[in-house]
């Protein structure tokens, strides 16, 4: 539940996927500097390094894949919930000048600081661990690669 990357230069009305597409983190994944897979919702495009749920499921394996992806993403949403609970001003529209808003965003840094020092968190229901399929995938072009990787992962849900 550590926050490892943040981009604060975009207005709040900018879509998350646009921010990600223009981020240094995305460039590092595209350049294969980072080996791994991010989890996203349907607001993001499917890529070899960014796994998104299927819009429509046809098989039990696809439904299990979507369920597992959703359960894994709960940890991400849980982290945002804890952050907003610790710093309620992040739940509201920041009606401040951009420079002042950037100072408020330091709450993200303070969040990690508190986490490192085991500061008590607000009471929140514990989350169940989610099994992670062991997937080996080769990198191919962005669109076909994402679909191919997702198909490999879905095969792990065929029981």
């Amino acid at each position: 539940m550590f926050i490892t990357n943040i981009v604060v230069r975009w207005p709040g009305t900018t879509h998350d996927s646009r921010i990600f597409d223009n981020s240094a983190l995305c460039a590092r994944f595209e350049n294969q500097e980072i080996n791994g897979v991010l989890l996203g919702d349907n607001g993001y495009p499917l890529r070899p390094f960014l796994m998104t749920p299927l819009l429509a499921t046809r098989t039990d394996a696809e439904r299990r894949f979507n369920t597992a992806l959703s359960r894994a993403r709960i940890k991400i949403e849980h982290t945002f919930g804890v952050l907003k609970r610790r710093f309620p001003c992040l739940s509201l529209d920041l009606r401040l000048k951009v420079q002042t808003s950037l100072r408020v965003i330091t709450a993200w840094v303070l969040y990690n600081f508190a986490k490192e020092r085991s500061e008590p968190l607000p009471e929140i229901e514990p989350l169940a661990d989610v099994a992670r399929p062991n997937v080996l995938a080769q990198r191919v072009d962005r669109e076909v690669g994402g679909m191919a990787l997702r198909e490999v992962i879905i095969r792990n849900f065929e029981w």
Side-chain angles (χ1 to χ4, degrees), residues 12 101 124:
S101 293
I124 294 178

Side-chain angles (χ1 to χ4, degrees), residues 21-94:
D21 285 344
N22 290 282
S23 71
L25 181 65
C26 181
R28 291 186 64 207
F29 271 100
E30 287 175 335
N31 294 330
Q32 298 180 2
E33 295 172 29
I34 300 174
N35 184 20
V37 177
L38 296 172
L39 306 179
D41 59 25
N42 285 326
Y44 292 89
L46 175 64
R47 297 187 185 164
F49 55 84
L50 179 56
M51 201 51 38
T52 60
L54 294 153
L55 292 175
T57 58
R58 300 174 312 243
T59 67
D60 287 340
E62 289 176 346
R63 283 185 279 284
R64 285 191 288 270
F65 165 80
N66 270 4
T67 299
L69 185 66
S70 176
R71 286 183 179 161
R73 285 197 69 257
I74 287 172
K75 193 63 143 178
I76 298 163
E77 298 302 328
H78 179 73
T79 301
F80 289 138
V82 170
L83 175 72
K84 289 177 180 180
R85 225 175 194 167
R86 189 178 293 278
F87 303 102
C89 66
L90 296 176
S91 296
L92 308 169
D93 290 339
L94 293 178

Side-chain angles (χ1 to χ4, degrees), residues 6 8 12 27 39 62 69 77 82 105 123-124 129 134 139 146:
I6 182 170
V8 295
L39 306 179
E62 289 176 346
L69 185 66
E77 298 302 328
V82 170
I105 299 300
E123 292 294 321
I124 294 178
D129 287 336
N134 183 13
R139 294 207 181 256

